[in-house]
Amino acid sequence: MSTLLATRIAGLLILISTSSFMYADSIIYELLTKPDFLEQAALNRSSLAFAALLEFINCAAVIGMSILIYPTIRQYSERIAIGYVSGRLIEGATLITGAVTLMTLIAMGKQVIENPDVSSEYLYMMGSALKSERWFGFLMGMFSLGLCGFLLNITLYQYRLIPRAISVLGMIGYAVLLLKVAFDYFGLDFSGAWMYIPGGIYELLLPLWMIFKGFDLSAKPKAQS
């Protein structure tokens, strides 16, 4: 496979991962923020199972794209290339557990509906704990993404593999993402959804550039030690 083709496929995978994750999140948020979220999970089993499938697609896509660009990035920094693949693997592993959690919530909701005479308080306590586990798993995945993405963009900026304006936006976006993860992890009220905006714009511009232009490989990589 040529470098340009691999880069274009990687760009397409980024678009697939972003769109699938955002659509899945819209389904999940609508259902799991309701007071009777377990019943909603069971009654909307097909929608929630589809969201879980989309999250799996997202995980596979982010890992796949990192593997596709690995040979190119390794020419410039082997440590960054290995670190980026590792970071995306960690992200995928943490997020896939969240998809599995969705299927568990569906099963728990089915128990609540089919056994109305049994107290559902315990199941709701467990369901709330699973939602918290899913949330903190998401934060760990975003921390891994923010760190490896920031380091990758330093290399992209240094060798002008993409326009420097895009790589600067990437560094800003991932730095803000790391801040948001820290704020949310410690329960601070300084963060908001707006902190996803720089990274979201970057993850739209980067894949489009990769698909239509590819990486600029004119800069010679430094000799690897």
Side-chain angles (χ1 to χ4, degrees):
M1 183 184 298
S2 68
T3 299
L4 180 58
L5 179 58
T7 303
R8 285 175 171 169
I9 295 175
L12 181 61
L13 288 177
I14 296 175
L15 291 178
I16 290 173
S17 70
T18 302
S19 58
S20 62
F21 183 83
M22 290 179 64
Y23 188 63
D25 186 64
S26 66
I27 297 173
I28 295 165
Y29 182 82
E30 180 182 0
L31 295 177
L32 297 191
T33 54
K34 294 182 178 181
D36 58 339
F37 65 89
L38 286 181
E39 286 96 331
Q40 292 298 324
L43 294 173
N44 296 275
R45 183 186 186 283
S46 296
S47 296
L48 211 56
F50 180 61
L53 176 61
L54 289 176
E55 289 199 334
F56 174 79
I57 291 173
N58 166 66
C59 295
V62 297
I63 294 171
M65 66 79 55
S66 68
I67 293 172
L68 283 170
I69 67 171
Y70 171 81
T72 300
I73 304 303
R74 192 180 73 165
Q75 297 177 49
Y76 298 87
S77 175
E78 186 170 6
R79 287 179 297 179
I80 293 298
I82 294 174
Y84 188 70
V85 173
S86 301
R88 286 297 204 172
L89 283 169
I90 294 172
E91 176 194 357
T94 55
L95 294 184
I96 201 65
T97 59
V100 174
T101 298
L102 295 179
M103 305 309 295
T104 305
L105 291 174
I106 291 173
M108 293 172 67
K110 184 179 179 182
Q111 290 295 319
V112 172
I113 293 174
E114 292 180 350
N115 299 279
D117 297 331
V118 177
S119 175
S120 61
E121 181 179 355
Y122 176 74
L123 287 175
Y124 266 96
M125 289 176 60
M126 292 296 296
S128 296
L130 285 174
K131 287 203 301 180
S132 296
E133 179 183 350
R134 173 182 163 82
W135 170 243
F136 283 107
F138 168 76
L139 291 181
M140 294 300 98
M142 292 303 98
F143 175 78
S144 180
L145 167 62
L147 184 59
C148 72
F150 183 85
L151 295 175
L152 173 68
N153 275 277
I154 293 177
T155 299
L156 298 180
Y157 178 90
Q158 181 180 1
Y159 294 102
R160 298 179 182 266
L161 297 179
I162 59 175
R164 282 188 162 178
I166 297 179
S167 54
V168 168
L169 177 61
M171 285 187 278
I172 293 172
Y174 287 127
V176 173
L177 176 62
L178 288 171
L179 283 175
K180 177 165 177 54
V181 168
F183 291 154
D184 289 346
Y185 185 83
F186 292 105
L188 303 177
D189 295 328
F190 301 121
S191 66
W194 65 268
M195 299 184 79
Y196 291 123
I197 293 176
I201 296 174
Y202 168 79
E203 294 210 349
L204 176 62
L205 294 179
L206 175 65
L208 291 177
W209 186 271
M210 291 170 67
I211 291 170
F212 292 106
K213 293 291 186 178
F215 289 131
D216 183 355
L217 305 179
S218 58
K220 294 183 179 180
K222 293 179 180 179
Q224 298 291 316
S225 59

